[in-house]
Amino acid sequence: MLLLIWLTICGTTVASEQNLIFMVPTFIQPGSNFSVEVHSKGLRWEIPLFGAILDGNGRAVEAANTTVTPDGVAHIRIKIPQGISQTTDYTFSCRPSTQEFKMALVEQHLRFRKDEYFFIQTDKFIYKGGQTVRFRVISLNEYLLPSTSRLNITIQDPKGQKVNEWIKATPIEGVFTKAFELVDQPSFGIWSITSSDGIKVATANIKVMDFCE
C-alpha cells in the first residue's frame, strides 16, 4: 500500500509556494527495494532531497539522495538490509539536503511485512491491432493465501509510454482481473504489464504484431 503526502515548500530566496507529492510505501520488508515516488508541481528550481529509513532510536539504517526537477518525477530508492528486525519500529524520513528550501519533514511509520508474491497471467502472448488483451494479477501472502494488498498496475508500450493504469487496485480473493483494447494501429513490439504494491514488482510481457500466425 502507498501513502500519498502533499506538501507545500518555500524557497528562502523567493517567497513562492510550490508543491511536492510523495507516494510512500507503508510496508518494510527485508532485502526489498524501497522506492518513494516524488512528483513536483509548480517548482521553479531543482530541489535535492535526502531520504532515510530510521530505526526506533532515530538512527539511519539506509539512506539515498535524489533531485526533483521542475514539474518532474523523481525516485528515492533504498535497499532494505536483510537483517532488519521484526520487533523494531522503522520510519521513512525525507527532507531537503540543503538549507535553501524549507519543507515540513516527511515521516511515515513503516509496518514490517514478510514475503508476498505476485503473478501476472495473460490470455495469450501475441496480439494484433484491435484485439482485447485480457490479464489477471494473482496476489499471495507469505502463507500462499490470497492477499488483499492494493496494487498499482501499469501498461506500457514498446516506447515506454504509459498506455493504461490502475491505482490502488484491490484484488478479490487474491485476484485482480482486467482487460484493455488495442487500437487498430498500435505500436508494434514488446508491451509490458507491471504490478507493484510499493515494495515488490512483477512484470509480464506481451508481443503486439501487425499480424498473428
Side-chain angles (χ1 to χ4, degrees), residues 96-154:
S97 55
T98 173
Q99 296 183 350
E100 295 180 9
F101 299 96
K102 294 181 180 179
M103 181 184 86
L105 182 67
V106 175
E107 287 190 321
Q108 168 60 32
H109 178 70
L110 305 174
R111 289 183 288 166
F112 186 95
R113 193 191 70 175
K114 295 183 180 179
D115 281 338
E116 290 206 0
Y117 307 93
F118 307 117
F119 307 91
I120 302 175
Q121 296 178 331
T122 58
D123 58 337
K124 56 184 180 179
F125 175 65
I126 300 177
Y127 299 83
K128 65 179 180 179
Q131 290 187 331
T132 299
V133 179
R134 296 178 176 85
F135 70 94
R136 64 179 182 175
V137 181
I138 300 172
S139 179
L140 303 174
N141 63 19
E142 66 270 26
Y143 304 109
L144 300 183
L145 297 174
S147 171
T148 57
S149 295
R150 292 186 177 183
L151 304 173
N152 292 331
I153 300 168
T154 303

Side-chain angles (χ1 to χ4, degrees), residues 50-99:
F50 173 79
I53 304 294
L54 309 177
D55 64 14
N57 296 316
R59 293 189 295 257
V61 176
E62 287 290 343
N65 293 281
T66 193
T67 299
V68 186
T69 59
D71 292 319
V73 180
H75 294 85
I76 302 172
R77 293 185 172 94
I78 301 174
K79 180 69 174 180
I80 305 300
Q82 287 284 357
I84 63 171
S85 171
Q86 187 171 356
T87 59
T88 299
D89 291 327
Y90 294 96
T91 301
F92 169 76
S93 175
C94 182
R95 57 175 172 78
S97 55
T98 173
Q99 296 183 350

Side-chain angles (χ1 to χ4, degrees), residues 120-137 153-158 161-166 176-184 186-187 189-194 204-208:
I120 302 175
Q121 296 178 331
T122 58
D123 58 337
K124 56 184 180 179
F125 175 65
I126 300 177
Y127 299 83
K128 65 179 180 179
Q131 290 187 331
T132 299
V133 179
R134 296 178 176 85
F135 70 94
R136 64 179 182 175
V137 181
I153 300 168
T154 303
I155 311 297
Q156 287 187 322
D157 67 13
Q161 297 177 338
K162 188 182 297 183
V163 176
N164 215 330
E165 185 177 39
W166 294 268
F176 177 80
T177 303
K178 214 68 177 177
F180 63 95
E181 302 284 339
L182 293 170
V183 298
D184 290 336
S187 295
I190 302 298
W191 290 50
S192 66
I193 304 172
T194 301
N205 294 326
I206 61 173
K207 191 171 186 179
V208 178

Side-chain angles (χ1 to χ4, degrees), residues 39-45 68-73:
H39 296 252
S40 68
K41 299 293 182 182
L43 289 187
R44 295 186 180 181
W45 314 280
V68 186
T69 59
D71 292 319
V73 180

